[in-house]
Amino acid sequence: MEALFIYLIKSSGLIVLFYLAYFLMLRKETFFTSNRWFLLAGLITSVLLPFVFITKIIWVEPTTTPINWSNVPMKNYTEEKTFEDYLPMLTALAYGIGILLLLAKFAFDFYSLNAVLKGKSIQQQADFKFIDTKENVAPFSYFNTIVYNSALYTASELENILEHEKVHSEQNHTIDVLISRLFCIVFWFNPFIWLYKKAILQNLEFIADNEATKKIFDKKAYQITLLKITTHENCVAITNHFYQSLIKKRIVMLNKNQSKKWNSWKYALVLPLLAAFVLSFQIKTIAQEKTNQNASKSVLDVVTTINKNFSDEELKKKAEFFKKEFNCNLVFSEIERNSSNEITGITVNYNGNLYGNGTYKQHSSNAIKDIYIKHDGSGKIDITDAEIDAKIKNDKITASPDKVLSIDKEIFINGEKVSQNDMDKLDPDEIERMDVNKKNNQQEIRIVTKKFHKTITENDIYINGEKADKNELLQLDQNTIDKMDVNKKEKTIHIITKNRTYIQDKNMPVPPVPPTPPVMKFKAPVAPAFPKAPKVPKGDPVNGDKKAWKEFEKKMEDYDAKMKKLEPQMEAFDKQMAEFDKQMEPFNKEMEAFDEKMKIFDKQMEEYQSNLDKENK
């Protein structure tokens, strides 16, 4: 659920980015068709880009003394449910209810459309289907179907309307309408998606107006038709209406000079913003421990289990793995199977420059026991089954190379001692870190899972009353811990050492702290509410009601005055977006500086480790 919320937030942020790019740079340009593809590309990018990640690996020195959590006294508090615990569930419930309501509205709109189209007489002309309805609805198109009421318009007005709707149909504008509607359902909580939808619909009207006027002789008559259609308030949803709000903008665009081609460079400005998004939110930083060549393979990489159900192909792959990773020849021979195709007998031979020669056999009338083939990182191969492995642990014996090579080991997962089988069953993707320690013939493997690691990183850590970070906790000698209290409610871990002192190597380099993304100092801007355009009187200014037309002209002057008052609000909005760009610039520079500091830190750690090796010698 958390991953879904993060995805929705990232996608919503990209929707905001594309909308603001369109609003600030492209909405006044006459590149209507290019704007259409830009807006659609913005929606597609918003749902796909959050899945793209760049992996960044930071190499750190291995922890020499991991904490034995099984030996640390812990005091657990009873966890009490708070409002924060229920908040994700309540948020998901509210989100789901919003989607269900909008889906119901979407279904109802389809039902309403079907009610208008059902049972009507259709006239087929070329690729278009025309329906002359008797209902009082505004003209609209739905794919290649055009619906209108011819009784409401003159012949010239109807010609203007049909030319407009034909453009919608020819260019499949209904697809844009449906896509924007679906995005409003999924991202209903984002106020910008509703502005985005409005921008798409408005741009489609610009396209239709622009193309229609190329085929119409009287451009002024077309504009008068636009004004007349504003009197129709009955519109069918999920369709392209001849009438759309903000009729003044459409008329302005009809009379506006074509934008210069060189202005198309504005489309490229969104690319740096997308790059900033990826660098800020789509980088996965993975910390990997430095190891020497002999210990470069983790235990899970070099422990191979052979069981009774292995096929010949699977045995072949195991042999290829050891040859590729360790240049060791592993040969399976004398393979016997029962009627259930289970292995009852097998001989394993191995040889190589580092490993010498060795043979392991297991033959009986029953299916074989699980066989473990292990590489310990120092030029030894161990081949054991469950019974022999247990005997070695109990009797502390080491078999000769031509029989079984083994070393005694203990395995801990999240501080709890487990068996080899438990470790083999563990999903490698769930492992956060793994430490392997060797002393003489004793091997200790300590594994920390991601789930357990998360409980540590989510808590505030205090050592003898002083706040510490995760790295300081991992460097703490486990033998010095006297008591540790874990408070789940307050999300804290308090550790008390035996001598109440905490000593850390002061010569160890301190890694740099990555920069924090900037917090925006302003709220999401809200577009001003535009006034409603006055209704056009019946008839025309010459032969119609002159008094009504004179009142209409006064109302239009008042409408223009109100629109002019909104200009300062739009200018303020532009300034806020400019502030956003300024706030991102310092963060990008800080990231570059952080990368340089990490390079210096790596060199310091190499020098520090080299000095430690000299002292140990």
Side-chain angles (χ1 to χ4, degrees):
M1 187 62 67
E2 181 182 357
L4 174 61
F5 288 160
I6 293 174
Y7 170 79
L8 291 175
I9 292 172
K10 288 182 177 180
S11 295
S12 297
L14 287 170
I15 289 172
V16 174
L17 186 152
F18 273 93
Y19 173 75
L20 295 179
Y22 170 79
F23 184 84
L24 297 176
M25 297 181 293
L26 301 171
R27 67 186 173 94
K28 295 182 180 180
E29 303 295 340
T30 60
F31 307 129
F32 304 131
T33 301
S34 297
N35 284 349
R36 177 193 181 188
W37 301 123
F38 176 85
L39 290 169
L40 289 178
L43 295 180
I44 296 172
T45 303
S46 298
V47 297
L48 295 181
L49 192 57
F51 292 109
V52 178
F53 286 93
I54 298 175
T55 302
K56 181 178 181 179
I57 299 177
I58 298 178
W59 294 95
V60 297
E61 294 295 334
T63 304
T64 57
T65 310
I67 294 178
N68 185 353
W69 298 101
S70 62
N71 295 330
V72 176
M74 300 181 66
K75 180 180 179 181
N76 292 320
Y77 288 82
T78 302
E79 184 175 2
E80 297 180 1
K81 293 290 185 180
T82 63
F83 176 75
E84 293 180 357
D85 298 320
Y86 294 103
L87 186 59
M89 181 179 66
L90 294 175
T91 304
L93 181 62
Y95 176 68
I97 292 174
I99 286 183
L100 289 176
L101 291 176
L102 290 172
L103 282 174
K105 179 65 169 58
F106 195 42
F108 177 77
D109 291 340
F110 268 109
Y111 173 80
S112 301
L113 174 63
N114 184 63
V116 173
L117 301 179
K118 188 175 181 181
K120 300 297 189 299
S121 176
I122 299 176
Q123 295 180 1
Q124 183 79 40
Q125 294 183 17
D127 295 331
F128 306 104
K129 296 178 181 179
F130 295 94
I131 296 178
D132 189 353
T133 182
K134 302 298 181 183
E135 300 178 21
N136 184 21
V137 295
F140 68 87
S141 63
Y142 182 71
F143 289 104
N144 65 337
T145 301
I146 299 175
V147 181
Y148 58 92
N149 186 345
S150 60
L152 301 177
Y153 313 103
T154 65
S156 61
E157 290 172 344
L158 188 59
E159 180 185 358
N160 294 338
I161 292 172
L162 294 181
E163 288 296 337
H164 178 96
E165 296 302 331
K166 283 180 182 179
V167 177
H168 282 313
S169 181
E170 288 173 344
Q171 298 190 11
N172 294 313
H173 289 179
T174 303
I175 295 176
D176 302 47
V177 176
L178 293 175
I179 290 175
S180 64
R181 186 71 179 272
L182 290 174
F183 268 79
C184 285
I185 293 174
V186 177
F187 297 95
W188 62 266
F189 57 89
N190 182 2
F192 279 90
I193 192 60
W194 302 96
L195 298 175
Y196 204 110
K197 174 193 169 188
K198 187 175 181 180
I200 288 177
L201 299 182
Q202 182 176 292
N203 186 67
L204 294 179
E205 295 305 317
F206 293 159
I207 294 174
D209 290 338
N210 184 58
E211 295 298 323
T213 51
K214 293 179 181 178
K215 303 176 183 178
I216 296 173
F217 175 74
D218 193 346
K219 195 172 182 180
K220 185 176 181 180
Y222 183 85
Q223 297 177 39
I224 294 175
T225 303
L226 287 182
L227 291 173
K228 182 175 181 179
I229 301 302
T230 59
T231 59
H232 288 282
E233 297 181 355
N234 296 327
C235 300
V236 179
I238 65 172
T239 61
N240 296 289
H241 313 301
F242 182 82
Y243 160 69
Q244 290 284 349
S245 60
L246 302 179
I247 209 74
K248 181 181 177 182
K249 285 190 175 182
R250 292 173 60 184
I251 295 176
V252 170
M253 283 297 184
L254 279 172
N255 293 281
K256 188 174 183 179
N257 294 328
Q258 293 293 314
S259 299
K260 297 180 180 179
K261 290 185 177 180
W262 67 271
N263 285 345
S264 59
W265 63 268
K266 295 181 180 181
Y267 291 104
L269 289 180
V270 76
L271 296 178
L273 298 177
L274 294 178
F277 171 84
V278 172
L279 293 175
S280 301
F281 306 108
Q282 299 302 103
I283 295 182
K284 280 186 176 179
T285 302
I286 300 176
Q288 291 190 4
E289 293 185 350
K290 296 179 180 179
T291 56
N292 57 42
Q293 185 176 1
N294 291 333
S296 62
K297 304 297 179 182
S298 69
V299 173
L300 288 180
D301 289 332
V302 300
V303 175
T304 299
T305 304
I306 306 296
N307 60 48
K308 61 185 179 181
N309 297 316
F310 263 50
S311 64
D312 292 342
E313 183 64 26
E314 289 175 312
L315 293 174
K316 181 180 178 182
K317 288 182 179 179
K318 295 295 183 183
E320 291 175 351
F321 170 78
F322 266 76
K323 179 65 176 177
K324 179 182 177 181
E325 297 294 328
F326 312 115
N327 195 26
C328 174
N329 297 315
L330 206 61
V331 181
F332 300 100
S333 60
E334 300 179 13
I335 301 173
E336 301 170 0
R337 299 180 183 272
N338 58 21
S339 58
S340 300
N341 203 32
E342 297 175 335
I343 300 176
T344 58
I346 189 170
T347 299
V348 185
N349 293 283
Y350 64 86
N351 63 80
N353 294 333
L354 293 175
Y355 315 106
N357 300 317
T359 301
Y360 172 86
K361 293 184 179 182
Q362 192 181 151
H363 292 269
S364 67
S365 58
N366 299 322
I368 64 170
K369 298 179 178 64
D370 289 353
I371 301 172
Y372 302 112
I373 306 175
K374 314 160 197 174
H375 174 271
D376 68 1
S378 61
K380 290 184 180 180
I381 292 291
D382 302 339
I383 305 180
T384 63
D385 59 43
E387 290 185 352
I388 296 177
D389 198 31
K391 184 178 180 182
I392 292 173
K393 288 182 178 179
N394 294 331
D395 300 339
K396 305 295 182 182
I397 63 171
T398 303
S400 58
D402 60 341
K403 293 182 180 180
V404 180
L405 295 175
S406 177
I407 57 175
D408 193 15
K409 66 176 179 296
E410 291 182 327
I411 303 171
F412 296 87
I413 297 179
N414 296 334
E416 181 181 355
K417 190 173 181 180
V418 298
S419 65
Q420 176 73 49
N421 286 334
D422 293 327
M423 187 179 74
D424 292 338
K425 293 177 183 177
L426 186 63
D427 185 358
D429 293 334
E430 292 299 318
I431 296 177
E432 174 68 24
R433 64 175 295 132
M434 179 167 55
D435 297 313
V436 180
N437 296 327
K438 295 175 185 176
K439 294 180 181 179
N440 299 324
N441 201 36
Q442 177 74 31
Q443 184 184 64
E444 185 180 79
I445 302 169
R446 294 191 172 273
I447 298 173
V448 178
T449 63
K450 291 181 179 178
K451 184 176 181 181
F452 184 79
H453 182 265
K454 186 178 179 181
T455 62
I456 297 177
T457 55
E458 287 182 345
N459 293 312
D460 291 330
I461 303 168
Y462 295 88
I463 301 177
N464 295 331
E466 296 183 5
K467 191 169 184 179
D469 58 25
K470 185 189 72 172
N471 291 330
E472 292 173 329
L473 175 63
L474 295 176
Q475 293 169 11
L476 186 63
D477 186 354
Q478 60 182 345
N479 296 320
T480 65
I481 297 178
D482 179 52
K483 180 182 179 183
M484 181 168 71
D485 292 334
V486 179
N487 191 324
K488 293 183 180 180
K489 184 177 180 180
E490 297 180 0
K491 295 185 177 181
T492 59
I493 298 177
H494 288 270
I495 298 175
I496 304 298
T497 60
K498 294 177 181 179
N499 56 4
R500 302 296 193 271
T501 59
Y502 172 50
I503 301 174
Q504 184 180 4
D505 189 351
K506 295 181 180 179
N507 295 323
M508 178 179 290
V510 179
V513 179
T516 303
V519 178
M520 296 305 146
K521 298 180 181 179
F522 60 90
K523 296 182 179 179
V526 179
F530 293 98
K532 188 175 181 180
K535 292 184 179 180
V536 182
K538 295 182 180 180
D540 57 76
V542 178
N543 301 318
D545 187 346
K546 294 184 178 180
K547 182 178 180 181
W549 274 97
K550 188 172 281 188
E551 291 179 357
F552 173 72
E553 290 177 358
K554 291 181 180 179
K555 291 179 180 179
M556 280 301 297
E557 290 177 359
D558 182 57
Y559 174 79
D560 292 338
K562 291 179 180 178
M563 290 294 294
K564 194 167 185 179
K565 287 182 180 179
L566 294 177
E567 292 180 358
Q569 297 181 35
M570 297 310 302
E571 291 177 0
F573 181 83
D574 294 343
K575 291 180 181 179
Q576 288 179 334
M577 290 314 304
E579 182 66 21
F580 173 83
D581 295 334
K582 289 182 180 180
Q583 291 186 31
M584 284 303 298
E585 288 179 4
F587 174 71
N588 293 333
K589 292 180 180 179
E590 289 176 359
M591 280 299 298
E592 294 177 359
F594 173 73
D595 291 337
E596 295 298 324
K597 291 178 181 178
M598 282 304 302
K599 293 178 182 179
I600 297 173
F601 173 71
D602 288 342
K603 293 180 180 179
Q604 291 175 342
M605 286 302 298
E606 290 177 1
E607 183 179 351
Y608 172 76
Q609 186 61 43
S610 176
N611 293 334
L612 285 181
D613 293 340
K614 291 178 182 179
E615 292 176 2
N616 293 333
K617 290 180 180 180

